[in-house]
Amino acid sequence: MGFFENVNQYFDQAAQFSDLSPGLLEQIKACNSVYRMRFPIKRDNGSIQVIEAYRVQHSHHRLPCKGGIRYSEMVDQDEVMALAALMTYKCALVEVPYGGGKGGVKINPRNFSENELERITRRYTFELVQKNFIGPYSDVPAPDYGTGEREMAWIANTYMVLKQNEPDSYACVTGKPLNLYGVPGRKAATGMGVFFGLRALVDVSEDMKALGLKAGLEGKEVIIQGLGNVGYNTGVFLQNAGAIITGICEFNGAIYNKKGFDIEKVFKEFRETGSLRKIEADKFIEDSSAGLEWPCDILIPAALENQITKENAPRISAKIIAEAANGPVTPDAEKILLSKGILIIPDLYLNAGGVTVSFFEWLRNLNHVAFGRMDKRQEAYQSNSILQLMQKMTGKKIDEKVFTDLTNGPDELDYINGALEETMTRSYHDIRSKSIKSKTSDLRTAAYLLAIERVSEYYTTAGIFP
Ligand code: NAD
C-alpha cells in the first residue's frame, strides 16, 4: 500500500466516527492540485542532469497552502500527496489557518555540491513561480527532510528577484535564516513541539499508570531514530527535562547505552564523522532498523515514513511511540502495536510545532514588525510596578536577578515559544478529550476526527461550490 493510501485509510477509520455526508468526506480527502515537473540543471562537471520534482496542494479550504519541501531519493508523487494531505489535517488540528501543501525534489543532497544544490533550488523555485505554486497568499513552503535554512534563503531570494514589487515577498517561504526575515526558534520548533506534546501526554498520571509508567519525563528511557533537525532538537529538550537518551539510530548504524548518551556530544561527532561507530556505547549495530526494537519507554521515529511495518511491529517493545516523523507507522503495524497496548502519539499532531512557528514567521513577515515590539516595554513597566508594590507591602527585597528578569519584559523568542507551548498543550488535550468523548480507542483516530470536523466546518459554513 502506498503512503497516500495509508493516510486515507487512517482518514476513513476516523470518518466512521463522524456523521458527515460521504460527499463532503470525499471532498475533504481529495488531493486538489498536483504539479509534476522535470527541469535540467548543469552539474559542476559540465554535464546536464534532469531533475524530477513535485509540488502538491492538497486542500484550498484555507489559503495559502503550507508545507515543507523534501529533498530525498525516495520522493515520488504518492509520497508528496500523502505529506500534503497530512499537512491539511495537521493545520486544522493545531488551528493554523492553512490548506495542506508539500513539495519534493527527487535527489539525494549528499550527492550534489553546494553550488549544484543552489542551482536546483533556484530552478525549482522558478518553476513554482511560473505556475503560481508559490507566493505569500497562495502557497508557502518550509523546510522538511533534507532541506533547511540555506535552501529557504535561496527560495526567498529567487522569489524576491522575480517579484520585485511585492512588499510581502519574504512571506513566500518560512524557516528562513534570522537575518533574512526568519524568526527566532523556527529551526528548533518541530523538536520543541514534540517535547511539549510528549510532556502533555506523560503528565496525565492515569494514562501513564495504564502503561505501568510514572507521570513526567524524568528518568524516561528514550530511543530516537534520525539525528537530523527534528530528532536532534527533540533529544536536546527531552534530555534537559530529565529523560535519558538510551538509543540513537541513524541510516548507517545504531547505538545503545543503558546509562544514556549526551545528545549534544553524539550529534557533534555524527556531524563531523558521518558515523556513530566511535561513540562509547554498550552496543553498536550496523543494521540500524534493529535499534527500533531495543527496550525503552518512548520510541521516537524522526527520520522517514514506513519505518514500523507489520514485519517489525511484533518485535517493538517501547511503551509509547512518538511520531516525530511523518508516517513512520503503517496502518497494519498500528493494529499490531495497539493490540500490544503500545500508546501511539500521532504525527499529524506531534510534529505540528514546525508549521505552528512557520505561521508566526509568516504573520511577522506580513506585519513587518517583530513580535513584542509594540508591547514589550509596557509589559516591563507593569511587572516593575507590581514588583515594587510587592516589595513595599511585604517589606522584603526581591532577589535582584529575579527582579531584572521579570522587569526586562519578554523578548521575541519568549512570545514564540510561549505560543508554541500553548498550541501544543491545548491541542493535546483537545485530542484526548475527543478520544474519550467519541470513544475512539486510539489517539490517531481522535486526531483525524477532530481535523476532519474542523475542515468540514469551513465547507458547511462557506458552501462547497463557489
Ligand atoms: P533531516 O534531513 O534534518 O534529518 C533526517 C535524519 O534522519 C538525517 O540525519 C538522516 O541521516 C536520518 N535518516 C535517514 N534515513 C534513516 C534511517 N533509515 N534510519 C535512521 N536515520 C535515518 O530531516 P528532518 O527535517 O529532521 O525531518 C525528519 C522527519 O520529520 C521527516 O519525516 C519530516 O517530514 C518530519 N518533519 C520535519 C519538520 C521540520 O520542521 N523539519 C516538520 C514536521 C515534520
Side-chain angles (χ1 to χ4, degrees), residues 3 68-71 74 83 86-87 90 102 109-110 142-148 186-191 194 224-233 248-254 267 270-271 288-289 292 301-305 307 323-328 347 350-355 358:
F3 189 9
I69 296 175
R70 173 174 289 202
Y71 285 3
M74 283 160 61
L83 292 165
L86 272 175
M87 284 305 295
K90 190 178 301 184
K102 203 79 183 189
R110 288 191 184 93
D144 191 69
Y145 185 91
T147 60
R186 172 59 185 89
K187 205 169 167 182
T190 307
V194 173
I224 299 176
Q225 183 198 38
L227 204 53
N229 177 311
V230 178
Y232 161 70
N233 283 300
I248 298 173
C249 313
E250 253 298 334
F251 71 100
N252 53 358
F267 180 72
F270 183 67
R271 288 298 127 192
S288 77
S289 62
L292 301 177
L304 282 167
E305 58 268 19
Q307 296 303 301
E323 294 186 339
N326 283 308
D347 50 3
L350 196 63
N351 66 34
V355 73
S358 274

Side-chain angles (χ1 to χ4, degrees), residues 126-184:
F126 182 80
E127 297 292 329
L128 296 179
V129 170
Q130 293 306 303
K131 295 285 189 295
N132 206 20
F133 268 74
I134 185 171
Y137 324 109
S138 57
D139 193 343
V140 182
D144 191 69
Y145 185 91
T147 60
E149 285 186 343
R150 181 184 64 174
E151 287 74 16
M152 302 308 116
W154 290 331
I155 293 172
N157 180 257
T158 309
Y159 186 87
M160 181 76 184
V161 169
L162 294 169
K163 302 269 181 179
Q164 291 277 349
N165 299 319
E166 273 189 15
D168 292 338
S169 48
Y170 276 112
C172 74
V173 65
T174 57
K176 302 179 292 289
L178 258 185
N179 56 8
L180 205 72
Y181 303 94
V183 287

Side-chain angles (χ1 to χ4, degrees), residues 339-366:
S339 73
K340 284 163 60 122
I342 296 174
L343 193 153
I344 303 172
I345 179 160
D347 50 3
L348 71 158
Y349 158 66
L350 196 63
N351 66 34
V355 73
T356 303
V357 175
S358 274
F359 172 48
F360 303 149
E361 180 177 333
W362 180 74
L363 287 177
R364 185 199 199 277
N365 292 159
L366 294 180

